[in-house]
Amino acid sequence: MLDFTLIAKKGNAKTHAKWSPVATCIMRAEPILEMDQVKINKLTPEHKQELVARCPRKVFSYNSIR
């Protein structure tokens, strides 16, 4: 696991080329999602499909064929 401490400074391209928009970097934290497999296995296929449909970020999928 990596742990970062970052300092952000605002600047513009007139001051230095490193502030040019072609050299930007975007970082965002990805959440860690853990689901209780015992509880998931107890759900009916209809409930699993509803769980997938209700996810606002559309990160889940359900394949009914196993």
Side-chain angles (χ1 to χ4, degrees), residues 39-52:
K39 290 181 181 179
I40 293 294
N41 290 336
K42 290 181 182 179
L43 294 175
T44 64
E46 292 79 20
H47 284 123
K48 291 177 183 178
Q49 289 173 346
E50 184 179 350
L51 174 70
V52 170

Side-chain angles (χ1 to χ4, degrees), residues 8-23:
K9 295 183 179 181
K10 186 178 185 320
N12 60 37
K14 289 181 182 178
T15 307
H16 194 280
K18 70 181 174 185
W19 303 113
S20 178
V22 296

